[in-house]
Amino acid sequence: MNFIQELEKELFVHYNAENATKMEAYMKNNFTFLGIKTENRRAILKHLWKKNHPEIKSDFRSICWSLFNKKEREFHYCGMEILIQEIKRQYKKEDDLLIEKWLTTHSWWDSVDLLAKYLLGNYLLKFPEQTFKVIERFSNSENLWLNRSAILFQLNYKKKTDFELLKSECEKHKHSNEFFIQKAIGWALRDYSRYNSIGVTIYVNSTNLKPLSRKEAIRNLQKWT
């Protein structure tokens, strides 16, 4: 895989120990970093992606998975960004299993939020008939990141959001003591309040959300009402 070798070589050239230490601390030392800031990493990836696009396009699933299983988090980001872009017009119905694998590997908020919004969200726009089955499975899982994804997957849907489904997910998880679940509920409601401020206001005022979820949900409501 020439692309992976080139990317690895180029990213290691830009290793920055001071930045890496700060990034690792920010991510609670869950991952090893090379210390490459987002703008620089994306510039490097963009150049090599364009240069090696035929190779990437022909086998993007394997290439992206190989990147996602490397040690350093920057490779994970590259793999996710390529996958989300390349898979757009090539989703398969059985990709719900692939998406689940990605969401439950090296899981943390930074990867899960990106994958939930774009990979899972776009997949269910492509196969809406899969929505109930997939979201029910993720929502009922004991894996909190799948639960979070079931709450957040409609973030890019705007006015297409199924508010009844969103409320159902909030109701199912509103008693959770998990920080990442409480934040997800608030974030999803806050995001949708841009398109249905009255509906979100009524829902928030009529249900007993956790204080953090409520705080996040109503943060911008005054702007829209």
Side-chain angles (χ1 to χ4, degrees):
M1 293 185 180
N2 293 329
F3 165 68
I4 291 181
Q5 293 170 354
E6 287 187 53
L7 181 64
E8 190 170 27
K9 180 179 178 180
E10 190 66 24
L11 289 182
F12 273 103
V13 166
H14 290 80
Y15 172 74
N16 184 304
E18 182 179 355
N19 287 345
T21 299
K22 293 177 182 178
M23 291 176 175
E24 288 165 7
Y26 181 67
M27 288 296 174
K28 307 295 184 183
N29 294 304
N30 283 299
F31 307 100
T32 300
F33 279 82
L34 292 171
I36 305 171
K37 294 186 176 180
T38 301
E39 184 178 355
N40 292 338
R41 172 180 54 76
R42 284 181 172 161
I44 293 168
L45 176 61
K46 181 179 180 180
H47 168 70
L48 294 178
W49 191 346
K50 182 177 181 180
K51 177 183 176 184
N52 295 280
H53 192 243
E55 176 193 350
I56 294 169
K57 186 176 181 180
S58 68
D59 195 22
F60 69 88
R61 293 166 188 266
S62 296
I63 289 173
C64 292
W65 188 242
S66 294
L67 290 174
F68 201 64
N69 280 279
K70 286 189 173 293
K71 181 180 178 181
E72 294 80 12
R73 194 61 163 167
E74 283 87 350
F75 289 107
H76 301 174
Y77 296 146
C78 290
M80 289 187 290
E81 289 174 10
I82 295 171
L83 179 66
I84 288 166
Q85 184 63 35
E86 295 291 340
I87 204 172
K88 275 185 177 179
R89 295 178 180 82
Q90 300 188 59
Y91 276 113
K92 302 173 183 177
K93 199 166 187 177
E94 61 270 23
D95 275 338
D96 62 309
L97 299 177
L98 175 146
I99 293 167
E100 183 171 353
K101 181 171 71 170
W102 276 78
L103 286 168
T104 55
T105 304
H106 302 310
S107 307
W108 198 239
W109 64 263
D110 58 334
S111 59
V112 169
D113 292 359
L114 184 68
L115 295 168
K117 181 177 180 179
Y118 295 106
L119 190 63
L120 176 60
N122 288 341
Y123 166 79
L124 292 175
L125 284 175
K126 174 71 174 179
F127 298 108
E129 71 278 8
Q130 290 282 90
T131 301
F132 177 79
K133 182 186 77 171
V134 173
I135 296 307
E136 187 77 1
R137 186 171 86 244
F138 286 12
S139 183
N140 291 335
S141 171
E142 294 184 0
N143 185 293
L144 80 90
W145 301 111
L146 292 180
N147 299 162
R148 183 173 167 97
S149 299
I151 298 167
L152 295 178
F153 81 96
Q154 297 189 88
L155 282 175
N156 207 34
Y157 283 23
K158 302 178 181 179
K159 292 182 179 180
K160 294 180 181 178
T161 298
D162 182 337
F163 190 31
E164 293 305 311
L165 177 57
L166 174 57
K167 288 189 289 185
S168 174
E169 287 305 304
C170 292
E171 286 297 304
K172 185 181 292 186
H173 296 286
K174 68 181 181 182
H175 297 302
S176 173
N177 291 320
E178 288 283 355
F179 170 83
F180 289 111
I181 297 301
Q182 293 180 24
K183 286 281 285 189
I185 290 171
W187 181 15
L189 291 170
R190 183 177 73 248
D191 181 76
Y192 184 57
S193 72
R194 293 183 293 163
Y195 310 100
N196 185 0
S197 60
I198 294 175
V200 172
T201 299
I202 292 171
Y203 173 69
V204 170
N205 288 335
S206 64
T207 194
N208 55 331
L209 295 175
K210 291 279 189 178
L212 177 58
S213 296
R214 179 181 174 83
K215 178 183 176 182
E216 292 294 322
I218 66 175
R219 183 184 293 176
N220 293 330
L221 276 174
Q222 193 172 5
K223 297 179 181 179
W224 316 111
T225 55

